[in-house]
Amino acid sequence: MAMRNSSTYEEATEIKPKKEGVMIKRSLNKRFWTVVNYKQRSFVLNEKFLVYYELEDDSSKLLKREEKGRILLETVHTVEIATNFFTKEEIGVSEEVWPFLLGYQVKGRDYLLFLCALRKEDRIDWILAIREACLNNKTIKSEFHPAPWISKNWACCGSTVRYSEGCRKCGDWASIRSLSSLDVSTHSNNTMPGEGTPGTPSSKQKEKIMPRTKVVALYNYKAIETGDLSLEKNQEYDVIDDSQEHWWKVKDTKGNVGFIPSNYVKEKESLGLQQYEWYVNDMSRQRSESTLKHEDKEGCFVVRNSSTKGLYTLSLYTKIPHPHVKHYHIKQNSRGEFFLSEKHCCQSIPDLINYHKHNSGGLASRLKTSPCDRPAPATAGLSHDKWEIDHDDLMLLEELGSGQFGVVRRGKWRGSIDVAVKMMKEGTMSEDDFIEEAKVMTKLQHTNLVQLYGVCSKNRPIFIVTEYMRYGSLLNHLRRHEQSLSSNQGLLLDMCIQVCKGMAYLERHNYIHRDLAARNCLVGTDNIVKVADFGLARYVLDDQYTSSGGSKFPIKWAPPEVLNYTRFSSKSDIWAYGVLMWEVFSCGKMPYGRLKNAEVVERVQKGLILEKPKACYKEVYDVMRKCWAHLPENRPSFKVLKETLVGISQRIVVD
Ligand code: AMP
């Protein structure tokens, strides 16, 4: 809610304002049926208000420019840098813009206004000028969300709690307070007298007063491009600029500055157990078992998050009396001490692990080693702002398989990073459109999505370069391991949950897959499953694939509205996901057996669905049936499915 008043831009700028300029404003989306839009407006900051006006255009030059809204500065509680949650297309610009946000409260209700400065320095100037004008406000907040609330989620952290505190710490306004005292020299010994006046701080001062976070590297990272910085595991770095989601500018202890992948570091304050080799975060019981069995070392162990939120489980491999994995909940007594057996309590989990490294203390074995170094996650692109990959940087190795678009080969980028290279058969896709889209797709990043690193588009055929997944397609993996998998429903369910997590991320970003199936998921080390080829179907030129009457169209994964009107949505992805669950629980069988496409269409139109796979819990089959609701609006979202499946896994698989 922004107040309306009747001043014109001309009147407002008659008295010299504190700051004025053009910015892009995201609509406040007051009602949920209002479409979000982005408009350029003239902004004027004065003593009491931030006011915005229509932009001058040639036809209305003579008219007074109308005020569109104003924010009473005393209601402002947050002024922070925002993440780039939008695409340039969405906001209708061709150059990069610099978002920040303004939180304020009117009549007890919170509002978030997202603004984009057109130049990076301008953003800092606006933030500082508004903060300075609001310094005496009583309710300045300490935490905030750097992206908006979209589809019942905070787009930054995925939290579903609307009125939560926020997932980021706010900058320290107090350091700006001293700026306004005119005594600029106290902020920087290097500042020349006069090189900065209140409200227009010098760049050195800006650097000092911008929020600084200390992060610790979770993995080594080797900088290859100029402008990037290498990371050394466990070393500390200062964050200088975290305005881009995936690549942050940091400074190391020697003063070197450069970009690093943001998923390789963690804020020092919230590092928790992540600094320990033995902590594996969200690894499921099933995956911990296969990882430890694969290591095959007596006393090999990991600590993982238990499926009950907030608790931890120790998974330990022993060969006595036969090779198996034991799982122990780490419990806490009334004094808050941690224990595995009540006789040996410790102040912290690391102390407890240390104790059991020296004494088995009732465990099947003393804790000895942890699995070798966890593989570092994929980065969003191979370097900061890089999505065009140089042909000469790729070494092409063995063929991994071939599909709709042609041959896929394993490769090495600059001799060090494993990649998969899809060599696109000429004429199979609308290349220019895809290359544009690839820029957006490299920014989609999730543990359960195959990372797109970029494209080689300067030569023909074009190459699509992605993360390499060691064990190939999920479909082949299921078929290859049918014997061992069919008796391990926990592992099958875990595979479904992983795919669901990747899809929930796509759903949150309003991204539709259009061809979700087991053949389009890939399997990596530690039984990790990732969704591949999202959104690619849009760029296929082959009629046989794109038209629902075509021989290559994935009819067996398509819901009625796609068969009838080619209407794709996240809900059509849900239908396909139900079929994928069916493929997983039948270990790679072909849905509807040998039925011809036309017969499948007839069955689906009649409301007949796939039968329950033999080895499948009824509760799991009930979830598939929900995915196959005839009307898309009756199907659940991926977010709800994820919660349901995790709940089932807790009930049917002991943690
Ligand atoms: P596609 O063209 O995506 O259907 O891929 C054809 C085959 O290549 C798949 O069935 C996989 O066996 C293999 N493949 C594709 N992408 C990858 C990857 N990123 N990592 C490993 N193998 C892959």
Side-chain angles (χ1 to χ4, degrees):
M1 180 187 180
M3 295 159 71
R4 282 286 178 93
N5 208 299
S6 54
S7 82
T8 64
Y9 177 76
E10 288 70 17
E11 286 158 8
T13 47
E14 250 167 43
I15 321 155
K16 181 142 180 50
K18 279 172 172 285
K19 185 167 173 58
E20 59 174 300
V22 173
M23 287 193 282
I24 295 169
K25 170 186 163 289
R26 183 183 193 264
S27 63
L28 277 164
N29 205 12
K30 287 163 264 186
R31 304 202 171 94
F32 65 85
W33 58 84
T34 321
V35 178
V36 170
N37 59 34
Y38 292 86
K39 290 214 169 89
Q40 289 216 7
R41 297 276 183 228
S42 284
F43 282 80
V44 176
L45 179 72
N46 62 34
E47 296 280 357
K48 271 186 92 174
F49 296 101
L50 177 67
V51 197
Y52 47 96
Y53 300 86
E54 260 179 356
L55 263 196
E56 181 179 49
D57 79 53
D58 282 347
S59 56
S60 64
K61 231 175 189 165
L62 294 175
L63 299 174
K64 300 232 172 217
R65 275 182 279 165
E66 193 193 331
E67 177 180 329
K68 287 295 183 186
R70 58 172 59 199
I71 288 149
L72 182 60
L73 294 178
E74 66 183 37
T75 65
V76 171
H77 54 63
T78 314
V79 192
E80 291 294 339
I81 288 179
T83 52
N84 294 325
F85 54 87
F86 43 71
T87 61
K88 287 180 199 163
E89 289 73 21
E90 257 177 275
I91 57 175
V93 290
S94 53
E95 299 292 327
E96 188 147 8
V97 292
W98 307 93
F100 67 100
L101 61 89
L102 214 73
Y104 59 100
Q105 203 173 63
V106 181
K107 294 186 186 147
R109 273 195 69 176
D110 257 336
Y111 294 86
L112 259 187
L113 178 66
F114 286 88
L115 300 171
C116 296
L118 304 183
R119 287 181 318 124
K120 192 171 182 182
E121 310 82 68
D122 216 13
R123 167 170 70 180
I124 296 183
D125 286 342
W126 272 109
I127 291 179
L128 296 184
I130 299 171
R131 279 185 182 178
E132 199 191 26
C134 298
L135 270 180
N136 295 324
N137 290 2
K138 293 190 183 68
T139 52
I140 296 172
K141 292 212 170 163
S142 56
E143 276 158 349
F144 77 109
H145 286 290
W149 173 259
I150 303 173
S151 311
K152 300 189 181 158
N153 265 295
W154 284 105
C156 36
C157 57
S159 162
T160 51
V161 187
R162 172 114 202 211
Y163 297 103
S164 55
E165 282 304 316
C167 57
R168 293 271 182 99
K169 285 212 163 57
C170 291
D172 180 10
W173 289 30
S175 49
I176 302 168
R177 197 184 299 267
S178 45
L179 249 192
S180 65
S181 73
L182 275 175
D183 183 13
V184 268
S185 59
T186 56
H187 293 278
S188 165
N189 293 335
N190 305 328
T191 311
M192 295 300 287
E195 190 196 318
T197 50
T200 54
S202 73
S203 57
K204 280 242 160 52
Q205 290 153 10
K206 280 174 197 170
E207 214 182 279
K208 274 209 155 224
I209 54 189
M210 290 315 288
R212 277 290 174 80
T213 319
K214 268 209 186 307
V215 290
V216 176
L218 301 174
Y219 311 93
N220 291 328
Y221 170 72
K222 188 162 164 267
I224 305 180
E225 289 283 347
T226 32
D228 293 346
L229 184 74
S230 290
L231 291 174
E232 200 179 318
K233 196 171 161 177
N234 296 329
Q235 291 300 307
E236 284 184 21
Y237 300 82
D238 273 332
V239 177
I240 293 173
D241 182 357
D242 63 355
S243 56
Q244 293 182 43
E245 192 182 348
H246 302 300
W247 291 90
W248 290 352
K249 199 184 230 181
V250 301
K251 184 148 90 181
D252 67 16
T253 46
K254 295 188 195 106
N256 303 313
V257 172
F259 284 98
I260 53 112
S262 59
N263 57 335
Y264 276 49
V265 293
K266 180 102 187 166
E267 240 176 75
K268 195 177 173 201
E269 285 160 25
S270 54
L271 195 58
L273 296 179
Q274 248 168 326
Q275 58 195 297
Y276 300 98
E277 302 289 325
W278 37 260
Y279 178 62
V280 290
N281 225 309
D282 271 337
M283 187 182 270
S284 66
R285 175 191 172 100
Q286 298 76 23
R287 287 210 291 130
S288 71
E289 286 186 357
S290 56
T291 303
L292 293 169
K293 280 183 188 158
H294 188 254
E295 288 284 313
D296 194 27
K297 287 187 195 134
E298 179 69 22
C300 194
F301 74 101
V302 293
V303 174
R304 58 188 175 84
N305 297 348
S306 152
S307 55
T308 312
K309 249 201 162 100
L311 298 184
Y312 299 91
T313 303
L314 168 82
S315 302
L316 170 63
Y317 181 78
T318 175
K319 294 185 183 175
I320 302 161
H322 55 85
H324 68 296
V325 176
K326 290 200 72 116
H327 303 272
Y328 304 89
H329 280 157
I330 298 179
K331 301 198 184 94
Q332 261 183 300
N333 62 19
S334 55
R335 292 189 300 280
E337 293 164 332
F338 295 89
F339 65 91
L340 288 161
S341 113
E342 256 171 302
K343 283 191 213 136
H344 313 287
C345 300
C346 295
Q347 288 299 324
S348 68
I349 293 179
D351 285 350
L352 183 69
I353 297 301
N354 210 21
Y355 172 80
H356 285 282
K357 276 186 174 174
H358 298 97
N359 311 278
S360 65
L363 304 182
S365 155
R366 187 166 64 75
L367 305 181
K368 291 182 182 161
T369 55
S370 297
C372 308
D373 260 358
R374 274 172 285 155
T379 53
L382 289 167
S383 167
H384 159 248
D385 242 356
K386 185 180 182 72
W387 53 269
E388 175 67 48
I389 293 170
D390 196 333
H391 223 274
D392 297 340
D393 289 340
L394 281 175
M395 181 162 71
L396 294 174
L397 303 165
E398 76 275 11
E399 187 173 321
L400 297 170
S402 66
Q404 170 71 25
F405 297 105
V407 174
V408 182
R409 288 175 68 174
R410 187 164 76 87
K412 284 255 179 215
W413 183 71
R414 298 214 176 158
S416 68
I417 297 177
D418 278 319
V419 294
V421 182
K422 226 178 233 193
M423 307 163 86
M424 308 302 284
K425 252 191 283 177
E426 277 179 70
T428 52
M429 80 173 335
S430 52
E431 293 176 353
D432 290 347
D433 293 344
F434 173 72
I435 292 164
E436 261 316 293
E437 175 69 5
K439 294 179 202 168
V440 178
M441 284 161 87
T442 50
K443 297 210 164 100
L444 295 170
Q445 185 177 51
H446 187 272
T447 327
N448 300 109
L449 293 184
V450 174
Q451 183 66 49
L452 174 68
Y453 285 138
V455 289
C456 281
S457 64
K458 299 270 191 279
N459 298 32
R460 291 294 177 273
I462 63 167
F463 293 171
I464 297 182
V465 183
T466 68
E467 178 181 3
Y468 167 65
M469 299 290 288
R470 200 166 164 179
Y471 298 112
S473 93
L474 173 61
L475 183 62
N476 288 338
H477 183 79
L478 290 164
R479 289 178 177 169
R480 232 181 285 130
H481 300 283
E482 180 177 0
Q483 270 216 317
S484 57
L485 287 174
S486 56
S487 58
N488 195 342
Q489 286 204 43
L491 201 51
L492 297 176
L493 184 54
D494 182 57
M495 289 176 175
C496 293
I497 292 174
Q498 292 190 63
V499 173
C500 193
K501 286 181 177 170
M503 289 305 298
Y505 174 91
L506 288 184
E507 177 183 71
R508 232 178 18 247
H509 288 77
N510 297 318
Y511 212 90
I512 307 168
H513 191 301
R514 289 180 167 81
D515 193 9
L516 179 62
R519 64 182 172 279
N520 283 332
C521 295
L522 295 164
V523 183
T525 346
D526 296 342
N527 274 310
I528 194 147
V529 181
K530 304 196 183 201
V531 178
D533 292 343
F534 32 94
L536 222 57
R538 274 173 302 163
Y539 304 99
V540 177
L541 289 175
D542 184 349
D543 276 356
Q544 293 301 317
Y545 177 86
T546 50
S547 131
S548 59
S551 58
K552 295 183 199 156
F553 190 86
I555 295 267
K556 293 178 171 181
W557 286 260
E561 75 275 12
V562 167
L563 297 174
N564 293 332
Y565 324 104
T566 333
R567 191 175 293 152
F568 289 98
S569 64
S570 289
K571 297 294 186 187
S572 60
D573 279 351
I574 289 276
W575 178 291
Y577 177 76
V579 181
L580 177 143
M581 283 183 74
W582 187 94
E583 292 181 275
V584 170
F585 276 89
S586 51
C587 289
K589 292 219 164 52
M590 171 59 88
Y592 307 97
R594 295 215 185 106
L595 282 192
K596 299 226 169 60
N597 276 352
E599 294 167 303
V600 173
V601 173
E602 207 181 304
R603 281 178 70 113
V604 169
Q605 304 287 25
K606 276 192 200 147
L608 295 173
I609 53 166
L610 286 162
E611 281 174 15
K612 185 171 97 57
K614 238 189 262 152
C616 173
Y617 291 107
K618 185 182 164 300
E619 265 185 290
V620 173
Y621 183 58
D622 286 343
V623 174
M624 294 181 205
R625 289 175 42 177
K626 285 194 181 130
C627 297
W628 300 325
H630 200 80
L631 294 175
E633 58 269 32
N634 291 340
R635 293 172 213 147
S637 63
F638 281 105
K639 183 170 163 276
V640 167
L641 274 188
K642 187 178 82 184
E643 280 154 18
T644 312
L645 291 173
V646 169
I648 294 176
S649 142
Q650 281 170 355
R651 280 193 298 281
I652 64 177
V653 187
V654 200
D655 185 33

